[in-house]
Amino acid sequence: SKISIAARDSIVVSIGDIPSTVVANRQLLLEASVKASNSSHPIVLKWSRNSRNSKSPIHTTPLSSENLMIKEGTLVPGEVYEYEVRAQQNDLVSSSSVRFTVHIPPISGSLKISPSEGVEYETEFTISMNDWVSDSKPLEYYFEAATVVEDAKTGEVKEGSTAALNYVSRNSMLSTLLTSTETASQDSYTM
């Protein structure tokens, strides 16, 4: 006696892992992975957003691509988003979805710089971030200085070049000497 087993075609789509909370000011990549038992037929992908929030994020890749890139700054803090990707090959269909919340930036804190004036390369400035509240713990801090350039004719003040003062850290205080990143006549900084 002869036994024959018929293999049935199948297709499975999945979305790569992303954190349950994402940051609004960074781009977000949603990655789809498709496995099909029959590779001789084309697979059609389609991303869709199932969220009910009013502001639609800007996608920098087509909704038909395997990877969906969401532009930084287009997700609304505090909102919940749900994306679904659907893969179709002939009459076979598979779908997968992912849900995430957009992190709310820290609020209610203060920035203190001491002393308020000093001399480049000589004065040690202490910069501290106090009493910030966030839905994301622990908080991480990044300090940056920017030279301020004033137009002698118009009096218009513009930000010049910026310089990182530290790496991202959980320390809310930094002591540093400031150095000019522009010409010697630039002696004002913003933080």
Side-chain angles (χ1 to χ4, degrees):
S1 117
K2 193 174 186 183
I3 299 175
S4 68
I5 299 172
R8 182 168 166 93
D9 287 342
S10 64
I11 185 171
V12 176
V13 65
S14 60
I15 300 173
D17 291 336
I18 66 161
S20 60
T21 303
V22 300
V23 180
N25 64 350
R26 293 193 187 131
Q27 65 183 6
L28 177 64
L29 177 63
L30 303 179
E31 297 176 288
S33 174
V34 181
K35 293 183 181 173
S37 61
N38 184 345
S39 61
S40 63
H41 298 286
I43 298 170
V44 177
L45 286 174
K46 178 72 174 171
W47 287 92
S48 61
R49 183 173 63 97
N50 300 328
S51 306
R52 305 214 189 300
N53 46 13
S54 59
K55 185 179 178 191
S56 183
I58 296 172
H59 307 111
T60 59
T61 53
L63 294 175
S64 59
S65 66
E66 194 168 333
N67 298 324
L68 184 67
M69 183 70 73
I70 301 171
K71 185 177 180 182
E72 69 276 356
T74 64
L75 294 172
V76 177
E79 293 286 336
V80 176
Y81 290 83
E82 184 175 348
Y83 277 85
E84 178 181 62
V85 64
R86 177 183 159 120
Q88 184 169 357
Q89 186 181 50
N90 295 331
D91 61 343
L92 300 173
V93 176
S94 177
S95 66
S96 181
S97 64
V98 64
R99 184 181 173 117
F100 56 88
T101 303
V102 182
H103 169 69
I104 299 172
I107 58 170
S108 302
S110 65
L111 168 71
K112 182 179 178 186
I113 302 173
S114 178
S116 60
E117 293 182 12
V119 178
E120 179 181 35
Y121 293 109
E122 292 179 15
T123 307
E124 183 174 52
F125 292 89
T126 301
I127 308 162
S128 58
M129 304 287 283
N130 302 308
D131 305 319
W132 289 93
V133 177
S134 175
D135 63 347
S136 178
K137 299 284 183 183
L139 286 176
E140 293 181 331
Y141 301 88
Y142 174 76
F143 297 94
E144 183 177 90
T147 57
V148 176
V149 180
E150 183 175 347
D151 186 304
K153 292 181 182 177
T154 65
E156 183 181 358
V157 176
K158 295 181 181 179
E159 187 176 297
S161 62
T162 59
L165 299 177
N166 73 321
Y167 295 104
V168 174
S169 137
R170 291 186 180 160
N171 191 348
S172 65
M173 186 183 311
L174 174 72
S175 292
T176 185
L177 296 175
L178 294 180
T179 60
S180 179
T181 57
E182 298 263 333
T183 63
S185 64
Q186 313 300 326
D187 57 0
S188 298
Y189 292 87
T190 60
M191 293 194 211

